[in-house]
Amino acid sequence: NAGVTQTPKFQVLKTGQSMTLQCAQDMNHNSMYWYRQDPGMGLRLIYYSASEGTTDKGEVPNGYNVSRLNKREFSLRLESAAPSQTSVYFCASSAIGVSYEQYFGPGTRLTVT
Amino acid sequence: AQKITQTQPGMFVQEKEAVTLDCTYDTSDQSYGLFWYKQPSSGEMIFLIYQGSYDEQNATEGRYSLNFQKARKSANLVISASQLGDSAMYFCAMREPFKTGANNLFFGTGTRLTVIP
């Protein structure tokens, strides 16, 4: 039982390049989330997927797209990376319900030069 | 408007002593939830404790307890008998439920706790 896994762990991109961050969970959770964490700040929600087949914008969606591939997998795509997207990206998942905590993956440290 | 406020950027505590990390929140909802997460230097986010707005008793999980004062809109984390392994960033977060059943967590800026031997 691996929980939430993310790939890659580290990535360096040049401005304008594209890439996809992968996330998978094996806890049979319905909901999945992508957050970014910038220095000195808490996590901010980029996109979420309440259930398979649905995705919605969070607090900071600009410059990102997502795909809920199936119940297990939720990917985040940067179409044209910008230095402002340098951050640590966390994927999370949770069961549906008010008291269920979100389980986080180990994070992806992305640098855009 | 900022939903979660953590006013202590850094805290120090002597090993085996108790420490309180402050958190205040802002919401007009009657139903909400409050979470604390720990982020060690390795970077992962570890769930510690949850308090629901309708819970009458303060939540406790081992050495962690949440001092929930609803009228003051505060949800302070108390760590008893601090250990060196407690040195980490601690984030307070509030759940804002979406109609879809998913939950958005609004995070504070965190408090870095250092336990001194």
Side-chain angles (χ1 to χ4, degrees):
Chain A
N1 192 341
V4 181
T5 57
Q6 292 182 234
T7 55
K9 291 186 177 180
F10 301 94
Q11 184 70 48
V12 179
L13 291 178
K14 294 184 178 180
T15 298
Q17 288 185 320
S18 62
M19 77 161 297
T20 300
L21 281 64
Q22 306 287 353
C23 174
Q25 52 91 11
D26 62 3
M27 294 175 282
N28 201 36
H29 286 162
N30 286 302
S31 301
M32 297 186 73
Y33 313 80
W34 277 104
Y35 291 89
R36 61 178 287 173
Q37 183 180 26
D38 300 311
M41 300 183 70
L43 281 67
R44 292 182 294 168
L45 184 67
I46 304 171
Y47 270 93
Y48 70 99
S49 171
S51 60
E52 189 178 353
T54 69
T55 61
D56 284 285
K57 296 178 180 179
E59 186 182 356
V60 288
N62 291 343
Y64 306 96
N65 285 299
V66 291
S67 295
R68 183 74 182 267
L69 304 171
N70 47 55
K71 191 172 185 179
R72 290 187 63 249
E73 299 173 288
F74 188 38
S75 63
L76 178 72
R77 182 160 179 83
L78 286 70
E79 290 290 352
S80 179
S84 60
Q85 295 179 304
T86 294
S87 189
V88 180
Y89 291 85
F90 288 96
C91 177
S93 71
S94 72
I96 288 181
V98 297
S99 64
Y100 291 113
E101 68 267 29
Q102 293 183 14
Y103 292 84
F104 285 82
T108 295
R109 186 172 296 274
L110 174 67
T111 302
V112 183
T113 61
Chain B
Q2 194 170 6
K3 293 180 181 286
I4 293 287
T5 302
Q6 294 180 256
T7 57
Q8 306 156 314
M11 289 282 287
F12 292 88
V13 64
Q14 205 75 34
E15 192 178 7
K16 300 181 184 178
E17 298 293 313
V19 64
T20 298
L21 306 184
D22 294 341
C23 172
T24 58
Y25 59 91
D26 181 28
T27 182
S28 56
D29 292 333
Q30 296 300 309
S31 176
Y32 52 89
L34 297 152
F35 298 78
W36 278 92
Y37 282 84
K38 173 184 178 181
Q39 186 176 43
S41 58
S42 52
E44 70 268 33
M45 297 290 288
I46 302 168
F47 165 75
L48 295 177
I49 197 167
Y50 167 79
Q51 178 84 42
S53 58
Y54 293 120
D55 295 339
E56 294 186 352
Q57 289 193 326
N58 289 340
T60 60
E61 290 285 349
R63 295 186 299 110
Y64 304 108
S65 61
L66 200 152
N67 184 359
F68 182 47
Q69 298 188 44
K70 199 169 182 176
R72 293 187 174 185
K73 293 189 175 180
S74 73
N76 298 338
L77 177 70
V78 180
I79 305 174
S80 62
S82 296
Q83 302 172 356
L84 295 179
D86 293 335
S87 293
M89 282 289 287
Y90 288 81
F91 290 96
C92 179
M94 181 172 66
R95 169 189 59 81
E96 175 182 273
F98 294 123
K99 293 178 182 178
T100 53
N103 295 291
N104 183 18
L105 290 182
F106 286 95
F107 284 82
T109 53
T111 295
R112 181 170 298 281
L113 177 66
T114 303
V115 181
I116 303 168

Tab-separated table of all heavy atoms in Angstrom, chain A residues 53-92:
chain	number	residue	atom	x	y	z
A	53	GLY	N	-13.862	11.512	-13.658
A	53	GLY	CA	-14.611	12.142	-14.739
A	53	GLY	C	-14.918	13.612	-14.530
A	53	GLY	O	-15.454	14.267	-15.418
A	54	THR	N	-14.558	14.137	-13.362
A	54	THR	CA	-14.802	15.560	-13.097
A	54	THR	C	-13.522	16.251	-12.655
A	54	THR	O	-12.715	15.660	-11.923
A	54	THR	CB	-15.855	15.758	-12.000
A	54	THR	OG1	-15.318	15.336	-10.749
A	54	THR	CG2	-17.120	14.977	-12.297
A	55	THR	N	-13.356	17.488	-13.098
A	55	THR	CA	-12.253	18.319	-12.614
A	55	THR	C	-12.748	19.753	-12.470
A	55	THR	O	-13.646	20.186	-13.216
A	55	THR	CB	-11.039	18.307	-13.564
A	55	THR	OG1	-11.440	18.829	-14.836
A	55	THR	CG2	-10.474	16.908	-13.726
A	56	ASP	N	-12.175	20.475	-11.511
A	56	ASP	CA	-12.580	21.860	-11.292
A	56	ASP	C	-11.385	22.687	-10.875
A	56	ASP	O	-10.416	22.167	-10.301
A	56	ASP	CB	-13.662	21.942	-10.204
A	56	ASP	CG	-15.002	21.506	-10.703
A	56	ASP	OD1	-15.622	22.282	-11.451
A	56	ASP	OD2	-15.409	20.383	-10.363
A	57	LYS	N	-11.483	23.997	-11.121
A	57	LYS	CA	-10.405	24.915	-10.760
A	57	LYS	C	-10.394	25.169	-9.265
A	57	LYS	O	-11.430	25.235	-8.621
A	57	LYS	CB	-10.573	26.237	-11.510
A	57	LYS	CG	-10.452	26.119	-13.009
A	57	LYS	CD	-10.676	27.472	-13.679
A	57	LYS	CE	-10.552	27.343	-15.195
A	57	LYS	NZ	-10.788	28.646	-15.880
A	58	GLY	N	-9.192	25.350	-8.762
A	58	GLY	CA	-9.014	25.770	-7.387
A	58	GLY	C	-8.674	27.240	-7.307
A	58	GLY	O	-9.140	28.043	-8.114
A	59	GLU	N	-7.795	27.567	-6.394
A	59	GLU	CA	-7.460	28.969	-6.119
A	59	GLU	C	-6.517	29.574	-7.157
A	59	GLU	O	-6.613	30.747	-7.494
A	59	GLU	CB	-6.826	29.038	-4.723
A	59	GLU	CG	-6.543	30.424	-4.205
A	59	GLU	CD	-5.877	30.382	-2.831
A	59	GLU	OE1	-5.717	29.275	-2.263
A	59	GLU	OE2	-5.481	31.460	-2.334
A	60	VAL	N	-5.565	28.765	-7.675
A	60	VAL	CA	-4.529	29.279	-8.578
A	60	VAL	C	-4.391	28.411	-9.818
A	60	VAL	O	-3.355	27.779	-10.046
A	60	VAL	CB	-3.177	29.416	-7.847
A	60	VAL	CG1	-3.200	30.569	-6.866
A	60	VAL	CG2	-2.810	28.110	-7.130
A	61	PRO	N	-5.404	28.352	-10.705
A	61	PRO	CA	-5.376	27.416	-11.834
A	61	PRO	C	-4.645	27.907	-13.080
A	61	PRO	O	-4.350	27.103	-13.974
A	61	PRO	CB	-6.863	27.245	-12.144
A	61	PRO	CG	-7.461	28.583	-11.799
A	61	PRO	CD	-6.679	29.054	-10.601
A	62	ASN	N	-4.350	29.200	-13.163
A	62	ASN	CA	-3.817	29.748	-14.416
A	62	ASN	C	-2.472	29.130	-14.767
A	62	ASN	O	-1.556	29.079	-13.949
A	62	ASN	CB	-3.693	31.262	-14.308
A	62	ASN	CG	-5.047	31.950	-14.257
A	62	ASN	OD1	-6.057	31.355	-14.610
A	62	ASN	ND2	-5.058	33.182	-13.800
A	63	GLY	N	-2.352	28.683	-16.017
A	63	GLY	CA	-1.110	28.098	-16.502
A	63	GLY	C	-1.044	26.593	-16.359
A	63	GLY	O	-0.032	25.983	-16.713
A	64	TYR	N	-2.118	25.990	-15.865
A	64	TYR	CA	-2.146	24.544	-15.620
A	64	TYR	C	-3.373	23.911	-16.255
A	64	TYR	O	-4.404	24.547	-16.421
A	64	TYR	CB	-2.178	24.242	-14.119
A	64	TYR	CG	-1.082	24.880	-13.323
A	64	TYR	CD1	-1.290	26.093	-12.667
A	64	TYR	CD2	0.164	24.261	-13.193
A	64	TYR	CE1	-0.283	26.681	-11.915
A	64	TYR	CE2	1.165	24.840	-12.439
A	64	TYR	CZ	0.936	26.053	-11.805
A	64	TYR	OH	1.932	26.631	-11.064
A	65	ASN	N	-3.227	22.632	-16.577
A	65	ASN	CA	-4.361	21.803	-16.958
A	65	ASN	C	-4.235	20.470	-16.233
A	65	ASN	O	-3.129	20.079	-15.843
A	65	ASN	CB	-4.394	21.559	-18.470
A	65	ASN	CG	-4.854	22.783	-19.227
A	65	ASN	OD1	-5.962	23.258	-19.035
A	65	ASN	ND2	-3.994	23.314	-20.076
A	66	VAL	N	-5.366	19.803	-16.068
A	66	VAL	CA	-5.341	18.526	-15.366
A	66	VAL	C	-6.145	17.492	-16.147
A	66	VAL	O	-6.995	17.826	-16.973
A	66	VAL	CB	-5.921	18.627	-13.938
A	66	VAL	CG1	-5.003	19.441	-13.028
A	66	VAL	CG2	-7.336	19.203	-13.965
A	67	SER	N	-5.852	16.240	-15.826
A	67	SER	CA	-6.606	15.117	-16.387
A	67	SER	C	-6.815	14.080	-15.302
A	67	SER	O	-5.834	13.663	-14.661
A	67	SER	CB	-5.853	14.484	-17.559
A	67	SER	OG	-5.736	15.375	-18.633
A	68	ARG	N	-8.067	13.692	-15.104
A	68	ARG	CA	-8.339	12.572	-14.198
A	68	ARG	C	-8.451	11.351	-15.089
A	68	ARG	O	-9.481	11.082	-15.701
A	68	ARG	CB	-9.636	12.804	-13.423
A	68	ARG	CG	-9.940	11.719	-12.411
A	68	ARG	CD	-9.060	11.807	-11.207
A	68	ARG	NE	-9.273	10.765	-10.232
A	68	ARG	CZ	-10.092	10.863	-9.186
A	68	ARG	NH1	-10.794	11.980	-8.999
A	68	ARG	NH2	-10.207	9.873	-8.347
A	69	LEU	N	-7.386	10.618	-15.176
A	69	LEU	CA	-7.262	9.523	-16.134
A	69	LEU	C	-8.167	8.362	-15.757
A	69	LEU	O	-8.738	7.682	-16.619
A	69	LEU	CB	-5.802	9.076	-16.189
A	69	LEU	CG	-4.810	10.216	-16.528
A	69	LEU	CD1	-3.379	9.753	-16.353
A	69	LEU	CD2	-5.051	10.718	-17.943
A	70	ASN	N	-8.271	8.083	-14.487
A	70	ASN	CA	-9.141	7.043	-13.940
A	70	ASN	C	-9.246	7.321	-12.444
A	70	ASN	O	-8.765	8.376	-11.977
A	70	ASN	CB	-8.572	5.644	-14.216
A	70	ASN	CG	-7.089	5.561	-13.878
A	70	ASN	OD1	-6.704	5.866	-12.749
A	70	ASN	ND2	-6.272	5.190	-14.848
A	71	LYS	N	-9.810	6.419	-11.703
A	71	LYS	CA	-9.992	6.707	-10.285
A	71	LYS	C	-8.658	6.856	-9.566
A	71	LYS	O	-8.530	7.599	-8.602
A	71	LYS	CB	-10.811	5.600	-9.621
A	71	LYS	CG	-11.266	5.948	-8.211
A	71	LYS	CD	-12.222	4.919	-7.656
A	71	LYS	CE	-12.754	5.370	-6.304
A	71	LYS	NZ	-13.724	4.404	-5.740
A	72	ARG	N	-7.635	6.175	-10.028
A	72	ARG	CA	-6.339	6.172	-9.346
A	72	ARG	C	-5.455	7.343	-9.708
A	72	ARG	O	-4.641	7.775	-8.904
A	72	ARG	CB	-5.580	4.879	-9.691
A	72	ARG	CG	-6.134	3.611	-9.100
A	72	ARG	CD	-5.183	2.463	-9.385
A	72	ARG	NE	-3.875	2.657	-8.762
A	72	ARG	CZ	-2.738	2.897	-9.421
A	72	ARG	NH1	-2.739	3.008	-10.743
A	72	ARG	NH2	-1.602	3.029	-8.777
A	73	GLU	N	-5.567	7.850	-10.932
A	73	GLU	CA	-4.547	8.744	-11.456
A	73	GLU	C	-5.083	10.141	-11.788
A	73	GLU	O	-6.154	10.290	-12.384
A	73	GLU	CB	-3.926	8.121	-12.710
A	73	GLU	CG	-3.237	6.785	-12.443
A	73	GLU	CD	-2.783	6.137	-13.732
A	73	GLU	OE1	-3.655	5.662	-14.493
A	73	GLU	OE2	-1.560	6.115	-13.973
A	74	PHE	N	-4.270	11.141	-11.452
A	74	PHE	CA	-4.649	12.551	-11.659
A	74	PHE	C	-3.377	13.280	-12.044
A	74	PHE	O	-2.455	13.379	-11.237
A	74	PHE	CB	-5.243	13.097	-10.361
A	74	PHE	CG	-5.857	14.453	-10.463
A	74	PHE	CD1	-6.570	14.857	-11.582
A	74	PHE	CD2	-5.767	15.336	-9.396
A	74	PHE	CE1	-7.164	16.100	-11.648
A	74	PHE	CE2	-6.354	16.589	-9.449
A	74	PHE	CZ	-7.051	16.970	-10.574
A	75	SER	N	-3.307	13.774	-13.273
A	75	SER	CA	-2.076	14.402	-13.748
A	75	SER	C	-2.239	15.911	-13.870
A	75	SER	O	-3.345	16.422	-14.079
A	75	SER	CB	-1.662	13.804	-15.100
A	75	SER	OG	-2.644	14.081	-16.084
A	76	LEU	N	-1.130	16.599	-13.747
A	76	LEU	CA	-1.078	18.065	-13.847
A	76	LEU	C	-0.130	18.426	-14.980
A	76	LEU	O	1.015	17.975	-14.989
A	76	LEU	CB	-0.577	18.665	-12.537
A	76	LEU	CG	-0.428	20.181	-12.490
A	76	LEU	CD1	-1.790	20.861	-12.451
A	76	LEU	CD2	0.403	20.610	-11.270
A	77	ARG	N	-0.587	19.244	-15.899
A	77	ARG	CA	0.226	19.597	-17.055
A	77	ARG	C	0.518	21.094	-17.087
A	77	ARG	O	-0.397	21.920	-16.876
A	77	ARG	CB	-0.443	19.170	-18.354
A	77	ARG	CG	0.395	19.476	-19.599
A	77	ARG	CD	-0.021	18.669	-20.784
A	77	ARG	NE	0.785	18.998	-21.955
A	77	ARG	CZ	1.995	18.482	-22.214
A	77	ARG	NH1	2.537	17.601	-21.374
A	77	ARG	NH2	2.652	18.825	-23.308
A	78	LEU	N	1.785	21.401	-17.330
A	78	LEU	CA	2.208	22.769	-17.586
A	78	LEU	C	2.471	22.861	-19.078
A	78	LEU	O	3.381	22.215	-19.593
A	78	LEU	CB	3.486	23.111	-16.816
A	78	LEU	CG	3.382	23.333	-15.310
A	78	LEU	CD1	3.093	22.045	-14.562
A	78	LEU	CD2	4.661	23.974	-14.789
A	79	GLU	N	1.694	23.617	-19.797
A	79	GLU	CA	1.813	23.679	-21.252
A	79	GLU	C	3.007	24.528	-21.687
A	79	GLU	O	3.704	24.196	-22.633
A	79	GLU	CB	0.536	24.244	-21.857
A	79	GLU	CG	-0.662	23.319	-21.760
A	79	GLU	CD	-0.551	22.088	-22.656
A	79	GLU	OE1	0.395	22.011	-23.485
A	79	GLU	OE2	-1.383	21.176	-22.529
A	80	SER	N	3.236	25.634	-20.999
A	80	SER	CA	4.343	26.523	-21.332
A	80	SER	C	4.879	27.092	-20.023
A	80	SER	O	4.370	28.087	-19.523
A	80	SER	CB	3.869	27.643	-22.255
A	80	SER	OG	4.930	28.521	-22.566
A	81	ALA	N	5.878	26.415	-19.481
A	81	ALA	CA	6.342	26.739	-18.138
A	81	ALA	C	6.903	28.160	-18.047
A	81	ALA	O	7.552	28.665	-18.977
A	81	ALA	CB	7.390	25.734	-17.693
A	82	ALA	N	6.648	28.788	-16.909
A	82	ALA	CA	7.151	30.133	-16.623
A	82	ALA	C	7.896	30.102	-15.288
A	82	ALA	O	7.598	29.262	-14.424
A	82	ALA	CB	5.989	31.119	-16.542
A	83	PRO	N	8.862	31.012	-15.094
A	83	PRO	CA	9.599	31.039	-13.819
A	83	PRO	C	8.686	31.150	-12.609
A	83	PRO	O	9.022	30.634	-11.526
A	83	PRO	CB	10.502	32.267	-13.973
A	83	PRO	CG	10.727	32.369	-15.457
A	83	PRO	CD	9.424	31.954	-16.081
A	84	SER	N	7.537	31.787	-12.758
A	84	SER	CA	6.591	31.929	-11.639
A	84	SER	C	5.998	30.588	-11.214
A	84	SER	O	5.368	30.490	-10.151
A	84	SER	CB	5.450	32.879	-12.011
A	84	SER	OG	4.738	32.377	-13.138
A	85	GLN	N	6.189	29.568	-12.011
A	85	GLN	CA	5.688	28.240	-11.678
A	85	GLN	C	6.737	27.396	-10.945
A	85	GLN	O	6.476	26.226	-10.639
A	85	GLN	CB	5.187	27.519	-12.928
A	85	GLN	CG	3.972	28.197	-13.542
A	85	GLN	CD	3.489	27.512	-14.802
A	85	GLN	OE1	4.254	27.332	-15.767
A	85	GLN	NE2	2.231	27.147	-14.825
A	86	THR	N	7.869	27.989	-10.668
A	86	THR	CA	8.847	27.332	-9.807
A	86	THR	C	8.230	27.153	-8.431
A	86	THR	O	7.825	28.127	-7.797
A	86	THR	CB	10.130	28.173	-9.713
A	86	THR	OG1	10.760	28.205	-10.991
A	86	THR	CG2	11.093	27.591	-8.676
A	87	SER	N	8.146	25.918	-7.975
A	87	SER	CA	7.421	25.630	-6.745
A	87	SER	C	7.582	24.154	-6.403
A	87	SER	O	8.189	23.390	-7.148
A	87	SER	CB	5.930	25.970	-6.927
A	87	SER	OG	5.235	25.905	-5.708
A	88	VAL	N	7.031	23.787	-5.271
A	88	VAL	CA	6.899	22.375	-4.933
A	88	VAL	C	5.432	21.996	-5.122
A	88	VAL	O	4.549	22.684	-4.598
A	88	VAL	CB	7.354	22.080	-3.487
A	88	VAL	CG1	7.197	20.591	-3.195
A	88	VAL	CG2	8.792	22.509	-3.284
A	89	TYR	N	5.198	20.949	-5.862
A	89	TYR	CA	3.843	20.534	-6.192
A	89	TYR	C	3.480	19.267	-5.421
A	89	TYR	O	4.215	18.286	-5.431
A	89	TYR	CB	3.719	20.289	-7.697
A	89	TYR	CG	3.826	21.560	-8.490
A	89	TYR	CD1	5.060	22.083	-8.863
A	89	TYR	CD2	2.679	22.271	-8.847
A	89	TYR	CE1	5.156	23.282	-9.559
A	89	TYR	CE2	2.769	23.459	-9.551
A	89	TYR	CZ	4.011	23.956	-9.890
A	89	TYR	OH	4.104	25.145	-10.583
A	90	PHE	N	2.338	19.325	-4.775
A	90	PHE	CA	1.840	18.190	-4.012
A	90	PHE	C	0.526	17.706	-4.600
A	90	PHE	O	-0.371	18.499	-4.888
A	90	PHE	CB	1.598	18.566	-2.546
A	90	PHE	CG	2.850	18.758	-1.749
A	90	PHE	CD1	3.374	20.021	-1.566
A	90	PHE	CD2	3.489	17.674	-1.170
A	90	PHE	CE1	4.535	20.207	-0.821
A	90	PHE	CE2	4.635	17.842	-0.415
A	90	PHE	CZ	5.163	19.115	-0.247
A	91	CYS	N	0.435	16.414	-4.713
A	91	CYS	CA	-0.818	15.759	-5.040
A	91	CYS	C	-1.393	15.197	-3.752
A	91	CYS	O	-0.643	14.784	-2.850
A	91	CYS	CB	-0.563	14.638	-6.051
A	91	CYS	SG	-2.020	13.678	-6.495
A	92	ALA	N	-2.709	15.182	-3.636
A	92	ALA	CA	-3.353	14.636	-2.455
A	92	ALA	C	-4.620	13.904	-2.866
A	92	ALA	O	-5.163	14.128	-3.957
A	92	ALA	CB	-3.679	15.740	-1.451
